[in-house]
Amino acid sequence: MELPSFSLEGRTAVVTGASRGMGRSIALALAEAGADVFGTGRAEADLEGVADEVRARGRVCHTFPADLTSVAAIRDMAAHAISAMGHVDILVNNAGTALLQPALEVTEEAWDDQMDVNLKGVFFCAQAFGRHMIERGQGGRIINIGSIVGVVGMAEHSAYSSSKAGVTMLTRVLAIEWGRYNVLVNAVGPTVILTPLGEKVWGDPVKGDPMRAKIPLGRFGRPSEVAGVVVFLASDAASLITGDTIMVDGGFTAQ
């Protein structure tokens, strides 16, 4: 029996929020697996640093700064990506933001900001690149970065949880609509991941230790552990998986 390949040689990938944290790790992992990468985000200088790292791995990399809360900006970014790369096989919707507050303290601005980045941006990026994949007729992969709080409730996460729950359901709907075109749509649901932002929020033992104690493996995740699942979902090894959310959470949601 011949095992399916995990190689992404000859494929092109767009990663949103690629300038730092999980996005950076995902971009580098896709490059390690053989894909050329188009990275987008708000921090132009950081994007160029990631591009240098991708190129050092022998892959092509283009970058384009964009505010993904604007549909016009998303469409402009998608047009640049398709023009620069020739075509796009893989979209990783990684860009996200979080402001953790008790529900009684959430403002309209905080609610809108999280919905705009975490859900609106994910949908319209998927729409732009999904249309390209369908029209091209070669299929494709869309991988959305969700969260454990997209499937379980957690205090002080009302806006963030709502946005990530939307990502979970959006993933299912798009998988149903686009399966006939061989466009596979999946999500990844991480626990706390120790990016610089994750360290800032959860590094204090007073906050972090109770959360860590709820995880059967007893630890938080590393960006590379999310990136590995993204590479799997982008590869031929995941060719019968669509509409799913793979939890990368150390067993948190198994309880």
Side-chain angles (χ1 to χ4, degrees), residues 74-108:
I74 288 170
R75 290 172 178 164
D76 187 38
M77 178 273 292
H80 276 81
I82 294 163
S83 175
M85 308 300 282
H87 67 275
V88 173
D89 301 297
I90 302 157
L91 167 65
V92 183
N93 269 317
N94 166 75
T97 190
L99 179 59
L100 309 185
Q101 297 173 298
L104 292 177
E105 298 177 14
V106 175
T107 64
E108 181 180 11

Short mmCIF file of all heavy atoms in Angstrom, two decimals, residues 74-108:
data_model
loop_
_atom_site.label_atom_id
_atom_site.label_comp_id
_atom_site.label_asym_id
_atom_site.label_seq_id
_atom_site.Cartn_x
_atom_site.Cartn_y
_atom_site.Cartn_z
N ILE A 74 -9.65 43.06 1.25
CA ILE A 74 -9.52 41.62 1.06
C ILE A 74 -9.50 41.28 -0.42
O ILE A 74 -8.67 40.49 -0.89
CB ILE A 74 -10.67 40.88 1.77
CG1 ILE A 74 -10.46 40.93 3.29
CG2 ILE A 74 -10.78 39.43 1.29
CD1 ILE A 74 -11.65 40.44 4.10
N ARG A 75 -10.41 41.87 -1.18
CA ARG A 75 -10.46 41.57 -2.62
C ARG A 75 -9.22 42.06 -3.33
O ARG A 75 -8.72 41.40 -4.26
CB ARG A 75 -11.74 42.17 -3.21
CG ARG A 75 -12.99 41.43 -2.72
CD ARG A 75 -14.28 42.11 -3.13
NE ARG A 75 -15.43 41.32 -2.67
CZ ARG A 75 -16.66 41.76 -2.60
NH1 ARG A 75 -16.95 43.03 -2.96
NH2 ARG A 75 -17.64 40.99 -2.17
N ASP A 76 -8.70 43.20 -2.90
CA ASP A 76 -7.45 43.71 -3.47
C ASP A 76 -6.30 42.77 -3.15
O ASP A 76 -5.47 42.45 -4.01
CB ASP A 76 -7.19 45.12 -2.92
CG ASP A 76 -6.01 45.80 -3.58
OD1 ASP A 76 -5.83 45.64 -4.81
OD2 ASP A 76 -5.26 46.50 -2.87
N MET A 77 -6.22 42.33 -1.91
CA MET A 77 -5.18 41.39 -1.50
C MET A 77 -5.26 40.09 -2.28
O MET A 77 -4.24 39.55 -2.75
CB MET A 77 -5.29 41.11 0.01
CG MET A 77 -4.30 40.11 0.56
SD MET A 77 -4.83 38.37 0.44
CE MET A 77 -6.19 38.33 1.60
N ALA A 78 -6.47 39.57 -2.45
CA ALA A 78 -6.64 38.32 -3.18
C ALA A 78 -6.19 38.46 -4.63
O ALA A 78 -5.54 37.58 -5.19
CB ALA A 78 -8.10 37.86 -3.11
N ALA A 79 -6.53 39.59 -5.24
CA ALA A 79 -6.11 39.84 -6.63
C ALA A 79 -4.59 39.89 -6.72
O ALA A 79 -3.99 39.33 -7.68
CB ALA A 79 -6.72 41.14 -7.14
N HIS A 80 -3.94 40.54 -5.75
CA HIS A 80 -2.48 40.58 -5.75
C HIS A 80 -1.89 39.19 -5.56
O HIS A 80 -0.90 38.83 -6.21
CB HIS A 80 -1.98 41.51 -4.64
CG HIS A 80 -1.93 42.95 -5.01
ND1 HIS A 80 -3.04 43.77 -5.00
CD2 HIS A 80 -0.91 43.73 -5.44
CE1 HIS A 80 -2.70 44.99 -5.38
NE2 HIS A 80 -1.42 45.00 -5.66
N ALA A 81 -2.47 38.40 -4.67
CA ALA A 81 -1.96 37.06 -4.42
C ALA A 81 -2.05 36.18 -5.66
O ALA A 81 -1.10 35.49 -6.03
CB ALA A 81 -2.72 36.41 -3.27
N ILE A 82 -3.19 36.22 -6.33
CA ILE A 82 -3.39 35.39 -7.52
C ILE A 82 -2.47 35.84 -8.64
O ILE A 82 -1.88 35.01 -9.35
CB ILE A 82 -4.87 35.43 -7.95
CG1 ILE A 82 -5.74 34.76 -6.87
CG2 ILE A 82 -5.08 34.75 -9.30
CD1 ILE A 82 -7.21 35.09 -6.97
N SER A 83 -2.29 37.15 -8.77
CA SER A 83 -1.39 37.67 -9.80
C SER A 83 0.06 37.29 -9.50
O SER A 83 0.79 36.84 -10.40
CB SER A 83 -1.52 39.20 -9.89
OG SER A 83 -0.58 39.73 -10.79
N ALA A 84 0.47 37.44 -8.26
CA ALA A 84 1.86 37.17 -7.90
C ALA A 84 2.20 35.68 -7.96
O ALA A 84 3.29 35.30 -8.40
CB ALA A 84 2.15 37.71 -6.49
N MET A 85 1.27 34.84 -7.53
CA MET A 85 1.54 33.41 -7.42
C MET A 85 1.11 32.63 -8.66
O MET A 85 1.49 31.47 -8.83
CB MET A 85 0.85 32.83 -6.19
CG MET A 85 1.11 33.58 -4.90
SD MET A 85 2.85 33.64 -4.42
CE MET A 85 3.09 32.00 -3.75
N GLY A 86 0.29 33.24 -9.50
CA GLY A 86 -0.23 32.54 -10.68
C GLY A 86 -1.53 31.83 -10.38
O GLY A 86 -2.47 31.87 -11.17
N HIS A 87 -1.60 31.17 -9.25
CA HIS A 87 -2.82 30.55 -8.76
C HIS A 87 -2.63 30.28 -7.27
O HIS A 87 -1.51 30.35 -6.76
CB HIS A 87 -3.14 29.24 -9.49
CG HIS A 87 -2.13 28.16 -9.22
ND1 HIS A 87 -0.96 28.04 -9.94
CD2 HIS A 87 -2.11 27.16 -8.28
CE1 HIS A 87 -0.27 27.01 -9.47
NE2 HIS A 87 -0.94 26.47 -8.47
N VAL A 88 -3.72 29.98 -6.58
CA VAL A 88 -3.65 29.70 -5.14
C VAL A 88 -4.34 28.36 -4.89
O VAL A 88 -5.50 28.17 -5.24
CB VAL A 88 -4.31 30.82 -4.31
CG1 VAL A 88 -4.38 30.42 -2.84
CG2 VAL A 88 -3.54 32.13 -4.48
N ASP A 89 -3.60 27.44 -4.26
CA ASP A 89 -4.13 26.12 -3.93
C ASP A 89 -4.64 26.03 -2.50
O ASP A 89 -5.53 25.23 -2.20
CB ASP A 89 -3.03 25.06 -4.08
CG ASP A 89 -2.46 25.01 -5.48
OD1 ASP A 89 -3.22 24.70 -6.41
OD2 ASP A 89 -1.26 25.30 -5.65
N ILE A 90 -4.03 26.83 -1.60
CA ILE A 90 -4.28 26.69 -0.16
C ILE A 90 -4.49 28.07 0.43
O ILE A 90 -3.69 28.99 0.18
CB ILE A 90 -3.07 26.03 0.54
CG1 ILE A 90 -2.76 24.65 -0.06
CG2 ILE A 90 -3.29 25.95 2.05
CD1 ILE A 90 -1.32 24.20 0.16
N LEU A 91 -5.54 28.24 1.22
CA LEU A 91 -5.75 29.44 2.01
C LEU A 91 -5.77 29.05 3.48
O LEU A 91 -6.54 28.17 3.88
CB LEU A 91 -7.07 30.12 1.65
CG LEU A 91 -7.54 31.22 2.63
CD1 LEU A 91 -6.58 32.42 2.63
CD2 LEU A 91 -8.96 31.66 2.31
N VAL A 92 -4.95 29.72 4.28
CA VAL A 92 -5.00 29.54 5.73
C VAL A 92 -5.48 30.85 6.35
O VAL A 92 -4.78 31.86 6.33
CB VAL A 92 -3.62 29.16 6.31
CG1 VAL A 92 -3.76 28.90 7.82
CG2 VAL A 92 -3.06 27.93 5.62
N ASN A 93 -6.70 30.81 6.86
CA ASN A 93 -7.31 31.98 7.51
C ASN A 93 -6.86 32.00 8.97
O ASN A 93 -7.53 31.45 9.85
CB ASN A 93 -8.84 31.88 7.44
CG ASN A 93 -9.41 32.56 6.22
OD1 ASN A 93 -9.00 33.66 5.85
ND2 ASN A 93 -10.38 31.92 5.59
N ASN A 94 -5.71 32.62 9.20
CA ASN A 94 -5.13 32.62 10.54
C ASN A 94 -5.32 33.93 11.29
O ASN A 94 -5.31 33.94 12.52
CB ASN A 94 -3.62 32.30 10.43
CG ASN A 94 -2.89 32.61 11.72
OD1 ASN A 94 -2.99 31.88 12.69
ND2 ASN A 94 -2.16 33.71 11.73
N ALA A 95 -5.47 35.05 10.59
CA ALA A 95 -5.54 36.35 11.26
C ALA A 95 -6.65 36.37 12.29
O ALA A 95 -7.77 35.90 12.04
CB ALA A 95 -5.76 37.46 10.23
N GLY A 96 -6.35 36.90 13.47
CA GLY A 96 -7.35 36.96 14.52
C GLY A 96 -6.97 37.96 15.58
O GLY A 96 -5.82 38.41 15.66
N THR A 97 -7.94 38.30 16.40
CA THR A 97 -7.70 39.22 17.51
C THR A 97 -8.56 38.80 18.68
O THR A 97 -9.60 38.16 18.50
CB THR A 97 -8.00 40.68 17.11
OG1 THR A 97 -7.54 41.57 18.13
CG2 THR A 97 -9.48 40.90 16.88
N ALA A 98 -8.12 39.13 19.88
CA ALA A 98 -8.87 38.75 21.09
C ALA A 98 -8.78 39.86 22.12
O ALA A 98 -7.71 40.44 22.33
CB ALA A 98 -8.31 37.46 21.68
N LEU A 99 -9.90 40.16 22.73
CA LEU A 99 -9.96 41.08 23.86
C LEU A 99 -10.87 40.42 24.89
O LEU A 99 -12.09 40.37 24.72
CB LEU A 99 -10.52 42.44 23.45
CG LEU A 99 -10.65 43.48 24.56
CD1 LEU A 99 -9.30 43.76 25.20
CD2 LEU A 99 -11.27 44.77 24.04
N LEU A 100 -10.26 39.88 25.93
CA LEU A 100 -11.00 39.09 26.91
C LEU A 100 -11.55 40.01 28.00
O LEU A 100 -10.79 40.69 28.69
CB LEU A 100 -10.10 38.01 27.50
CG LEU A 100 -9.35 37.14 26.48
CD1 LEU A 100 -8.59 36.03 27.17
CD2 LEU A 100 -10.31 36.58 25.43
N GLN A 101 -12.88 40.00 28.13
CA GLN A 101 -13.56 40.88 29.08
C GLN A 101 -14.80 40.18 29.64
O GLN A 101 -15.43 39.39 28.94
CB GLN A 101 -14.03 42.16 28.38
CG GLN A 101 -12.94 43.04 27.80
CD GLN A 101 -13.56 44.17 26.99
OE1 GLN A 101 -14.24 43.93 26.01
NE2 GLN A 101 -13.34 45.40 27.44
N PRO A 102 -15.19 40.51 30.88
CA PRO A 102 -16.50 40.06 31.34
C PRO A 102 -17.60 40.59 30.42
O PRO A 102 -17.48 41.69 29.87
CB PRO A 102 -16.60 40.69 32.74
CG PRO A 102 -15.19 40.95 33.16
CD PRO A 102 -14.46 41.28 31.89
N ALA A 103 -18.64 39.82 30.26
CA ALA A 103 -19.69 40.19 29.30
C ALA A 103 -20.27 41.57 29.59
O ALA A 103 -20.60 42.32 28.65
CB ALA A 103 -20.79 39.13 29.31
N LEU A 104 -20.38 41.94 30.85
CA LEU A 104 -20.98 43.23 31.19
C LEU A 104 -20.08 44.41 30.81
O LEU A 104 -20.54 45.55 30.80
CB LEU A 104 -21.30 43.30 32.68
CG LEU A 104 -22.43 42.37 33.16
CD1 LEU A 104 -22.60 42.48 34.67
CD2 LEU A 104 -23.75 42.68 32.46
N GLU A 105 -18.82 44.12 30.48
CA GLU A 105 -17.89 45.19 30.13
C GLU A 105 -17.59 45.29 28.64
O GLU A 105 -16.87 46.19 28.21
CB GLU A 105 -16.58 45.00 30.91
CG GLU A 105 -16.76 45.08 32.41
CD GLU A 105 -15.48 44.81 33.17
OE1 GLU A 105 -14.39 44.82 32.54
OE2 GLU A 105 -15.55 44.59 34.40
N VAL A 106 -18.12 44.38 27.84
CA VAL A 106 -17.83 44.38 26.40
C VAL A 106 -18.51 45.59 25.74
O VAL A 106 -19.72 45.78 25.87
CB VAL A 106 -18.30 43.08 25.73
CG1 VAL A 106 -18.12 43.15 24.22
CG2 VAL A 106 -17.55 41.89 26.31
N THR A 107 -17.72 46.37 25.02
CA THR A 107 -18.25 47.53 24.31
C THR A 107 -18.61 47.15 22.88
O THR A 107 -18.18 46.12 22.36
CB THR A 107 -17.21 48.66 24.28
OG1 THR A 107 -16.07 48.21 23.52
CG2 THR A 107 -16.79 49.06 25.68
N GLU A 108 -19.38 48.01 22.25
CA GLU A 108 -19.71 47.79 20.84
C GLU A 108 -18.44 47.75 20.00
O GLU A 108 -18.31 46.91 19.08
CB GLU A 108 -20.64 48.89 20.34
CG GLU A 108 -21.05 48.72 18.89
CD GLU A 108 -21.98 49.82 18.41
OE1 GLU A 108 -22.15 50.84 19.12
OE2 GLU A 108 -22.55 49.67 17.30
#
